[in-house]
Amino acid sequence: MKIAPISEELFQRAQHSIPGGVNSPVRAFRAVGGNPRFMVSAKGPYMFDEDGNRYIELINSWGPMILGHAAEIVQEAVQQAIPNSLSFGAPTRKEIEIAELIVDMVPSIEKVRMVNSGTEATMSAVRVARGYTGRNKMIKFEGCYHGHGDSFLIAAGSGAITLGVPDSPGVTKGVAADTLTAPFNDLEAVKTLVEANKDQVAAIILEPVAGNMGLVLPDAGFLQGLRDLCTKEGIVLIFDEVMTGFRLAPGGAQQLFGVTPDMTTLGKIIGGGMPVGAYGGKKEIMNFVAPAGPVYQAGTLSGNPIAMSAGMAMLQYLQGHPEVYTNLEQTTTKMVNGMKQNMQELGMNFTINHVGSMFSIFFTEQPVTDFESAKSSDTAMFGRYFNSMLQRGVYLAPSQYESLFVSTAITDELVQEYLQANREALQEAVQQ
Ligand code: HOZ
């Protein structure tokens, strides 16, 4: 049994100086109950909290710790960069090297601009798409989350739906009017929207594999259908690969599914866990970005030398070690198959979605293919399951509407430990 009095005390203290006691809403555990654990350190497959509890880690900083926490190659790169100053606000060789590496690894990216987070990346990409097409509207999908830019907080997933504010107050009607939404995997609905807004849609943006309503995979033909539609209608197709880029394949979901977007947004993974984002795509579109073109976007910390060093180390490693992807897939398949076996033996039939090293369990028996079906999950049961897992030393995403991420640090022994916890937690979640 894990007890956490120090975390509880810190959470009380945090409420006085930080809104809700946390710097990002999902962390507050509101959707699952209980108090958040305050972390001190993490190494390999484990995180350690202020109370000295150890957890098997399945968030991995929401994706980037593909090699587990505190990977030596990334840490060494950061340590080497630190003595040369933490920020210049002037160009460096490393920015070219990482840009060249990204262009080399991601099929659709011919030019790339570094920013500081996924939110900045998506906000900027849509601005560029609008500047490039001269159109205002954007289509996004219900339950997809693209950071907290105003125009994305419409039918948004992740923390927004977790807290029941998919359409956030503070977003003006004018901004909301330019965001059109369609159900994920519903190509016909997108075609109808495009037809009804002829020559007005600048961009269609989506997570090619949605990870912010729990994990939801694209149906066969959905991504290609969007590609064809965008080509026909002169719409910029943007894949938000903040969570899937370099994780599902060296070239992200677009490589895995063989569909080429016009633009791609990237995030935390390209910083090896440091605060980084990027957007890139076809030259003719990216040449609209200032100072090459008229669409303005800037940032003092963009291309920060420490973040670039961490990201470079991570990406070079992934490019040189394709076996990482096979290993991750094998480990995750063992976990998912073991969970299915547990459920079968316990007479349960909940839905698990899985691709590569990402997976989600939904407490519903129906297939989960979009936001509506994701919402059929029993979130109270998820909360009980989450807390039972936490008590057994497994740290999951504290929301039904997030994906889990496996790292290469998860050994076969840990898979067994995880599955034992899963079996007991499933029983507890259902009984209460
Ligand atoms: N919205 C983030 C994951 N999809 C969660 C970020 C955080 O709370 O740290």
PDB file of all heavy atoms in Angstrom, residues 22-28 59 61-63 145 147 157-160 207 211-213 242-243 268 397-398 401-403 405, ligand 1:
ATOM      1  N   VAL A  22      -1.595  22.835  -9.525  1.00  0.00           N
ATOM      2  CA  VAL A  22      -0.767  22.177 -10.554  1.00  0.00           C
ATOM      3  C   VAL A  22      -0.530  23.120 -11.721  1.00  0.00           C
ATOM      4  O   VAL A  22      -1.292  24.065 -11.932  1.00  0.00           O
ATOM      5  CB  VAL A  22      -1.451  20.894 -11.102  1.00  0.00           C
ATOM      6  CG1 VAL A  22      -1.469  19.776 -10.069  1.00  0.00           C
ATOM      7  CG2 VAL A  22      -2.863  21.190 -11.593  1.00  0.00           C
ATOM      8  N   ASN A  23       0.476  22.815 -12.515  1.00  0.00           N
ATOM      9  CA  ASN A  23       0.763  23.651 -13.679  1.00  0.00           C
ATOM     10  C   ASN A  23       0.185  23.105 -14.978  1.00  0.00           C
ATOM     11  O   ASN A  23       0.418  23.678 -16.047  1.00  0.00           O
ATOM     12  CB  ASN A  23       2.268  23.894 -13.803  1.00  0.00           C
ATOM     13  CG  ASN A  23       2.703  25.012 -12.864  1.00  0.00           C
ATOM     14  OD1 ASN A  23       2.048  26.062 -12.800  1.00  0.00           O
ATOM     15  ND2 ASN A  23       3.758  24.799 -12.100  1.00  0.00           N
ATOM     16  N   SER A  24      -0.529  22.011 -14.914  1.00  0.00           N
ATOM     17  CA  SER A  24      -1.274  21.501 -16.074  1.00  0.00           C
ATOM     18  C   SER A  24      -2.413  20.640 -15.508  1.00  0.00           C
ATOM     19  O   SER A  24      -2.164  19.804 -14.623  1.00  0.00           O
ATOM     20  CB  SER A  24      -0.342  20.691 -16.971  1.00  0.00           C
ATOM     21  OG  SER A  24      -0.963  20.406 -18.202  1.00  0.00           O
ATOM     22  N   PRO A  25      -3.658  20.895 -15.952  1.00  0.00           N
ATOM     23  CA  PRO A  25      -4.825  20.413 -15.213  1.00  0.00           C
ATOM     24  C   PRO A  25      -4.911  18.908 -14.963  1.00  0.00           C
ATOM     25  O   PRO A  25      -5.327  18.496 -13.878  1.00  0.00           O
ATOM     26  CB  PRO A  25      -6.001  20.874 -16.080  1.00  0.00           C
ATOM     27  CG  PRO A  25      -5.491  21.995 -16.883  1.00  0.00           C
ATOM     28  CD  PRO A  25      -4.032  21.738 -17.101  1.00  0.00           C
ATOM     29  N   VAL A  26      -4.561  18.076 -15.955  1.00  0.00           N
ATOM     30  CA  VAL A  26      -4.761  16.623 -15.798  1.00  0.00           C
ATOM     31  C   VAL A  26      -4.013  16.092 -14.576  1.00  0.00           C
ATOM     32  O   VAL A  26      -4.457  15.161 -13.906  1.00  0.00           O
ATOM     33  CB  VAL A  26      -4.307  15.879 -17.079  1.00  0.00           C
ATOM     34  CG1 VAL A  26      -4.427  14.372 -16.906  1.00  0.00           C
ATOM     35  CG2 VAL A  26      -5.137  16.316 -18.267  1.00  0.00           C
ATOM     36  N   ARG A  27      -2.880  16.709 -14.269  1.00  0.00           N
ATOM     37  CA  ARG A  27      -2.041  16.266 -13.156  1.00  0.00           C
ATOM     38  C   ARG A  27      -2.727  16.313 -11.804  1.00  0.00           C
ATOM     39  O   ARG A  27      -2.252  15.715 -10.835  1.00  0.00           O
ATOM     40  CB  ARG A  27      -0.816  17.182 -13.024  1.00  0.00           C
ATOM     41  CG  ARG A  27       0.079  17.129 -14.185  1.00  0.00           C
ATOM     42  CD  ARG A  27       1.204  18.113 -13.990  1.00  0.00           C
ATOM     43  NE  ARG A  27       1.825  18.353 -15.279  1.00  0.00           N
ATOM     44  CZ  ARG A  27       2.780  19.225 -15.497  1.00  0.00           C
ATOM     45  NH1 ARG A  27       3.234  19.961 -14.499  1.00  0.00           N
ATOM     46  NH2 ARG A  27       3.301  19.378 -16.686  1.00  0.00           N
ATOM     47  N   ALA A  28      -3.821  17.094 -11.713  1.00  0.00           N
ATOM     48  CA  ALA A  28      -4.440  17.326 -10.402  1.00  0.00           C
ATOM     49  C   ALA A  28      -5.240  16.125  -9.902  1.00  0.00           C
ATOM     50  O   ALA A  28      -5.744  16.147  -8.779  1.00  0.00           O
ATOM     51  CB  ALA A  28      -5.333  18.561 -10.444  1.00  0.00           C
ATOM     52  N   ILE A  59       3.461   6.884 -18.359  1.00  0.00           N
ATOM     53  CA  ILE A  59       3.159   8.158 -19.031  1.00  0.00           C
ATOM     54  C   ILE A  59       4.392   8.629 -19.796  1.00  0.00           C
ATOM     55  O   ILE A  59       4.313   9.103 -20.904  1.00  0.00           O
ATOM     56  CB  ILE A  59       2.765   9.270 -18.046  1.00  0.00           C
ATOM     57  CG1 ILE A  59       1.583   8.884 -17.192  1.00  0.00           C
ATOM     58  CG2 ILE A  59       2.430  10.519 -18.832  1.00  0.00           C
ATOM     59  CD1 ILE A  59       1.102  10.025 -16.331  1.00  0.00           C
ATOM     60  N   SER A  61       6.369  11.196 -19.387  1.00  0.00           N
ATOM     61  CA  SER A  61       6.257  12.616 -19.689  1.00  0.00           C
ATOM     62  C   SER A  61       5.331  12.845 -20.892  1.00  0.00           C
ATOM     63  O   SER A  61       5.583  13.722 -21.709  1.00  0.00           O
ATOM     64  CB  SER A  61       7.633  13.250 -19.907  1.00  0.00           C
ATOM     65  OG  SER A  61       7.511  14.646 -19.967  1.00  0.00           O
ATOM     66  N   TRP A  62       4.292  12.035 -20.984  1.00  0.00           N
ATOM     67  CA  TRP A  62       3.307  12.085 -22.068  1.00  0.00           C
ATOM     68  C   TRP A  62       3.951  11.789 -23.409  1.00  0.00           C
ATOM     69  O   TRP A  62       3.623  12.395 -24.421  1.00  0.00           O
ATOM     70  CB  TRP A  62       2.535  13.404 -22.074  1.00  0.00           C
ATOM     71  CG  TRP A  62       1.885  13.672 -20.747  1.00  0.00           C
ATOM     72  CD1 TRP A  62       2.390  14.446 -19.746  1.00  0.00           C
ATOM     73  CD2 TRP A  62       0.653  13.120 -20.254  1.00  0.00           C
ATOM     74  NE1 TRP A  62       1.537  14.415 -18.662  1.00  0.00           N
ATOM     75  CE2 TRP A  62       0.472  13.615 -18.948  1.00  0.00           C
ATOM     76  CE3 TRP A  62      -0.310  12.271 -20.792  1.00  0.00           C
ATOM     77  CZ2 TRP A  62      -0.629  13.284 -18.172  1.00  0.00           C
ATOM     78  CZ3 TRP A  62      -1.409  11.943 -20.007  1.00  0.00           C
ATOM     79  CH2 TRP A  62      -1.559  12.456 -18.713  1.00  0.00           C
ATOM     80  N   GLY A  63       4.908  10.888 -23.379  1.00  0.00           N
ATOM     81  CA  GLY A  63       5.444  10.381 -24.648  1.00  0.00           C
ATOM     82  C   GLY A  63       6.937  10.390 -24.856  1.00  0.00           C
ATOM     83  O   GLY A  63       7.508   9.409 -25.318  1.00  0.00           O
ATOM     84  N   TYR A 145      -7.031  16.823 -29.450  1.00  0.00           N
ATOM     85  CA  TYR A 145      -6.512  17.939 -28.661  1.00  0.00           C
ATOM     86  C   TYR A 145      -5.224  18.414 -29.331  1.00  0.00           C
ATOM     87  O   TYR A 145      -4.357  17.595 -29.660  1.00  0.00           O
ATOM     88  CB  TYR A 145      -6.226  17.472 -27.240  1.00  0.00           C
ATOM     89  CG  TYR A 145      -5.631  18.526 -26.329  1.00  0.00           C
ATOM     90  CD1 TYR A 145      -6.413  19.548 -25.808  1.00  0.00           C
ATOM     91  CD2 TYR A 145      -4.279  18.488 -25.992  1.00  0.00           C
ATOM     92  CE1 TYR A 145      -5.869  20.506 -24.964  1.00  0.00           C
ATOM     93  CE2 TYR A 145      -3.728  19.444 -25.146  1.00  0.00           C
ATOM     94  CZ  TYR A 145      -4.524  20.449 -24.635  1.00  0.00           C
ATOM     95  OH  TYR A 145      -3.980  21.393 -23.801  1.00  0.00           O
ATOM     96  N   GLY A 147      -3.292  21.171 -28.072  1.00  0.00           N
ATOM     97  CA  GLY A 147      -2.773  22.217 -27.202  1.00  0.00           C
ATOM     98  C   GLY A 147      -3.871  23.219 -26.897  1.00  0.00           C
ATOM     99  O   GLY A 147      -5.029  23.048 -27.293  1.00  0.00           O
ATOM    100  N   GLY A 157     -10.190  17.335 -26.573  1.00  0.00           N
ATOM    101  CA  GLY A 157      -9.968  16.181 -25.712  1.00  0.00           C
ATOM    102  C   GLY A 157      -9.014  16.510 -24.570  1.00  0.00           C
ATOM    103  O   GLY A 157      -8.936  17.653 -24.112  1.00  0.00           O
ATOM    104  N   SER A 158      -8.280  15.496 -24.095  1.00  0.00           N
ATOM    105  CA  SER A 158      -7.280  15.621 -23.036  1.00  0.00           C
ATOM    106  C   SER A 158      -7.873  16.271 -21.786  1.00  0.00           C
ATOM    107  O   SER A 158      -8.990  15.969 -21.391  1.00  0.00           O
ATOM    108  CB  SER A 158      -6.060  16.394 -23.552  1.00  0.00           C
ATOM    109  OG  SER A 158      -5.025  16.390 -22.597  1.00  0.00           O
ATOM    110  N   GLY A 159      -7.123  17.185 -21.164  1.00  0.00           N
ATOM    111  CA  GLY A 159      -7.569  17.791 -19.912  1.00  0.00           C
ATOM    112  C   GLY A 159      -8.866  18.552 -20.064  1.00  0.00           C
ATOM    113  O   GLY A 159      -9.647  18.674 -19.109  1.00  0.00           O
ATOM    114  N   ALA A 160      -9.138  19.084 -21.259  1.00  0.00           N
ATOM    115  CA  ALA A 160     -10.349  19.883 -21.464  1.00  0.00           C
ATOM    116  C   ALA A 160     -11.595  19.016 -21.244  1.00  0.00           C
ATOM    117  O   ALA A 160     -12.506  19.398 -20.509  1.00  0.00           O
ATOM    118  CB  ALA A 160     -10.347  20.498 -22.859  1.00  0.00           C
ATOM    119  N   GLU A 207      -4.898  14.513 -35.091  1.00  0.00           N
ATOM    120  CA  GLU A 207      -3.908  13.558 -34.628  1.00  0.00           C
ATOM    121  C   GLU A 207      -4.156  12.309 -35.490  1.00  0.00           C
ATOM    122  O   GLU A 207      -5.247  11.730 -35.409  1.00  0.00           O
ATOM    123  CB  GLU A 207      -4.145  13.203 -33.166  1.00  0.00           C
ATOM    124  CG  GLU A 207      -4.183  14.378 -32.214  1.00  0.00           C
ATOM    125  CD  GLU A 207      -4.651  13.924 -30.819  1.00  0.00           C
ATOM    126  OE1 GLU A 207      -3.855  13.241 -30.136  1.00  0.00           O
ATOM    127  OE2 GLU A 207      -5.801  14.217 -30.443  1.00  0.00           O
ATOM    128  N   GLY A 211      -4.718  10.495 -29.466  1.00  0.00           N
ATOM    129  CA  GLY A 211      -4.248  10.038 -28.155  1.00  0.00           C
ATOM    130  C   GLY A 211      -4.858  10.823 -27.022  1.00  0.00           C
ATOM    131  O   GLY A 211      -4.538  10.599 -25.861  1.00  0.00           O
ATOM    132  N   ASN A 212      -5.738  11.776 -27.338  1.00  0.00           N
ATOM    133  CA  ASN A 212      -6.265  12.670 -26.312  1.00  0.00           C
ATOM    134  C   ASN A 212      -7.736  12.450 -25.998  1.00  0.00           C
ATOM    135  O   ASN A 212      -8.368  13.265 -25.334  1.00  0.00           O
ATOM    136  CB  ASN A 212      -6.022  14.124 -26.725  1.00  0.00           C
ATOM    137  CG  ASN A 212      -4.568  14.517 -26.524  1.00  0.00           C
ATOM    138  OD1 ASN A 212      -4.089  14.582 -25.404  1.00  0.00           O
ATOM    139  ND2 ASN A 212      -3.852  14.761 -27.614  1.00  0.00           N
ATOM    140  N   MET A 213      -8.294  11.331 -26.505  1.00  0.00           N
ATOM    141  CA  MET A 213      -9.622  10.895 -26.037  1.00  0.00           C
ATOM    142  C   MET A 213      -9.454   9.445 -25.595  1.00  0.00           C
ATOM    143  O   MET A 213     -10.338   8.609 -25.758  1.00  0.00           O
ATOM    144  CB  MET A 213     -10.686  11.046 -27.142  1.00  0.00           C
ATOM    145  CG  MET A 213     -10.310  10.521 -28.507  1.00  0.00           C
ATOM    146  SD  MET A 213     -11.670  10.738 -29.697  1.00  0.00           S
ATOM    147  CE  MET A 213     -10.781  11.246 -31.176  1.00  0.00           C
ATOM    148  N   VAL A 242       2.527  15.393 -32.316  1.00  0.00           N
ATOM    149  CA  VAL A 242       3.208  15.733 -31.063  1.00  0.00           C
ATOM    150  C   VAL A 242       3.447  14.464 -30.230  1.00  0.00           C
ATOM    151  O   VAL A 242       4.491  14.295 -29.609  1.00  0.00           O
ATOM    152  CB  VAL A 242       2.392  16.786 -30.273  1.00  0.00           C
ATOM    153  CG1 VAL A 242       2.856  16.897 -28.830  1.00  0.00           C
ATOM    154  CG2 VAL A 242       2.499  18.146 -30.950  1.00  0.00           C
ATOM    155  N   MET A 243       2.470  13.557 -30.245  1.00  0.00           N
ATOM    156  CA  MET A 243       2.642  12.337 -29.449  1.00  0.00           C
ATOM    157  C   MET A 243       3.100  11.137 -30.276  1.00  0.00           C
ATOM    158  O   MET A 243       3.694  10.212 -29.743  1.00  0.00           O
ATOM    159  CB  MET A 243       1.329  12.006 -28.722  1.00  0.00           C
ATOM    160  CG  MET A 243       0.977  13.082 -27.717  1.00  0.00           C
ATOM    161  SD  MET A 243      -0.131  12.551 -26.414  1.00  0.00           S
ATOM    162  CE  MET A 243      -1.622  12.276 -27.289  1.00  0.00           C
ATOM    163  N   LYS A 268       7.170  17.554 -27.650  1.00  0.00           N
ATOM    164  CA  LYS A 268       8.128  17.144 -26.603  1.00  0.00           C
ATOM    165  C   LYS A 268       9.149  16.073 -27.000  1.00  0.00           C
ATOM    166  O   LYS A 268      10.266  16.059 -26.488  1.00  0.00           O
ATOM    167  CB  LYS A 268       7.344  16.679 -25.383  1.00  0.00           C
ATOM    168  CG  LYS A 268       6.067  15.913 -25.735  1.00  0.00           C
ATOM    169  CD  LYS A 268       4.964  16.167 -24.716  1.00  0.00           C
ATOM    170  CE  LYS A 268       3.591  15.854 -25.277  1.00  0.00           C
ATOM    171  NZ  LYS A 268       2.500  16.470 -24.583  1.00  0.00           N
ATOM    172  N   ALA A 397      -1.854   7.362 -16.705  1.00  0.00           N
ATOM    173  CA  ALA A 397      -2.389   8.707 -16.939  1.00  0.00           C
ATOM    174  C   ALA A 397      -3.630   8.883 -16.066  1.00  0.00           C
ATOM    175  O   ALA A 397      -4.511   8.020 -16.080  1.00  0.00           O
ATOM    176  CB  ALA A 397      -2.763   8.860 -18.403  1.00  0.00           C
ATOM    177  N   PRO A 398      -3.706   9.992 -15.304  1.00  0.00           N
ATOM    178  CA  PRO A 398      -4.844  10.172 -14.391  1.00  0.00           C
ATOM    179  C   PRO A 398      -6.106  10.675 -15.100  1.00  0.00           C
ATOM    180  O   PRO A 398      -6.781  11.577 -14.606  1.00  0.00           O
ATOM    181  CB  PRO A 398      -4.320  11.190 -13.375  1.00  0.00           C
ATOM    182  CG  PRO A 398      -3.231  11.907 -14.069  1.00  0.00           C
ATOM    183  CD  PRO A 398      -2.680  11.029 -15.129  1.00  0.00           C
ATOM    184  N   TYR A 401      -9.161   9.971 -20.712  1.00  0.00           N
ATOM    185  CA  TYR A 401      -9.010  10.553 -22.047  1.00  0.00           C
ATOM    186  C   TYR A 401      -7.548  10.887 -22.373  1.00  0.00           C
ATOM    187  O   TYR A 401      -7.228  11.980 -22.825  1.00  0.00           O
ATOM    188  CB  TYR A 401      -9.913  11.785 -22.182  1.00  0.00           C
ATOM    189  CG  TYR A 401     -11.362  11.432 -21.915  1.00  0.00           C
ATOM    190  CD1 TYR A 401     -12.016  11.891 -20.777  1.00  0.00           C
ATOM    191  CD2 TYR A 401     -12.050  10.592 -22.789  1.00  0.00           C
ATOM    192  CE1 TYR A 401     -13.335  11.535 -20.519  1.00  0.00           C
ATOM    193  CE2 TYR A 401     -13.369  10.228 -22.535  1.00  0.00           C
ATOM    194  CZ  TYR A 401     -13.998  10.699 -21.398  1.00  0.00           C
ATOM    195  OH  TYR A 401     -15.308  10.335 -21.145  1.00  0.00           O
ATOM    196  N   GLU A 402      -6.683   9.946 -22.094  1.00  0.00           N
ATOM    197  CA  GLU A 402      -5.263  10.063 -22.439  1.00  0.00           C
ATOM    198  C   GLU A 402      -4.786   8.682 -22.859  1.00  0.00           C
ATOM    199  O   GLU A 402      -5.398   7.672 -22.500  1.00  0.00           O
ATOM    200  CB  GLU A 402      -4.421  10.528 -21.228  1.00  0.00           C
ATOM    201  CG  GLU A 402      -4.792  11.882 -20.651  1.00  0.00           C
ATOM    202  CD  GLU A 402      -4.327  13.075 -21.483  1.00  0.00           C
ATOM    203  OE1 GLU A 402      -3.624  12.865 -22.494  1.00  0.00           O
ATOM    204  OE2 GLU A 402      -4.685  14.210 -21.115  1.00  0.00           O
ATOM    205  N   SER A 403      -3.664   8.660 -23.565  1.00  0.00           N
ATOM    206  CA  SER A 403      -3.062   7.373 -23.944  1.00  0.00           C
ATOM    207  C   SER A 403      -1.969   7.021 -22.934  1.00  0.00           C
ATOM    208  O   SER A 403      -1.499   7.877 -22.188  1.00  0.00           O
ATOM    209  CB  SER A 403      -2.445   7.521 -25.334  1.00  0.00           C
ATOM    210  OG  SER A 403      -1.740   6.361 -25.679  1.00  0.00           O
ATOM    211  N   PHE A 405       1.970   5.330 -22.627  1.00  0.00           N
ATOM    212  CA  PHE A 405       3.167   5.253 -23.466  1.00  0.00           C
ATOM    213  C   PHE A 405       4.176   4.304 -22.826  1.00  0.00           C
ATOM    214  O   PHE A 405       4.541   4.485 -21.664  1.00  0.00           O
ATOM    215  CB  PHE A 405       3.817   6.635 -23.593  1.00  0.00           C
ATOM    216  CG  PHE A 405       2.891   7.690 -24.150  1.00  0.00           C
ATOM    217  CD1 PHE A 405       2.129   8.482 -23.308  1.00  0.00           C
ATOM    218  CD2 PHE A 405       2.790   7.885 -25.518  1.00  0.00           C
ATOM    219  CE1 PHE A 405       1.280   9.458 -23.805  1.00  0.00           C
ATOM    220  CE2 PHE A 405       1.941   8.856 -26.035  1.00  0.00           C
ATOM    221  CZ  PHE A 405       1.184   9.645 -25.173  1.00  0.00           C
TER     222      PHE A 405
HETATM  223  N1  HOZ B   1      -2.508  17.378 -22.071  1.00  0.00           N
HETATM  224  C1  HOZ B   1      -1.327  16.647 -21.805  1.00  0.00           C
HETATM  225  C2  HOZ B   1      -1.359  15.292 -22.382  1.00  0.00           C
HETATM  226  N2  HOZ B   1      -2.180  15.078 -23.493  1.00  0.00           N
HETATM  227  C3  HOZ B   1      -1.093  16.572 -20.344  1.00  0.00           C
HETATM  228  C4  HOZ B   1       0.037  17.412 -19.963  1.00  0.00           C
HETATM  229  C5  HOZ B   1       0.310  17.447 -18.462  1.00  0.00           C
HETATM  230  O1  HOZ B   1      -0.653  17.525 -17.691  1.00  0.00           O
HETATM  231  O2  HOZ B   1       1.467  17.416 -18.079  1.00  0.00           O
END
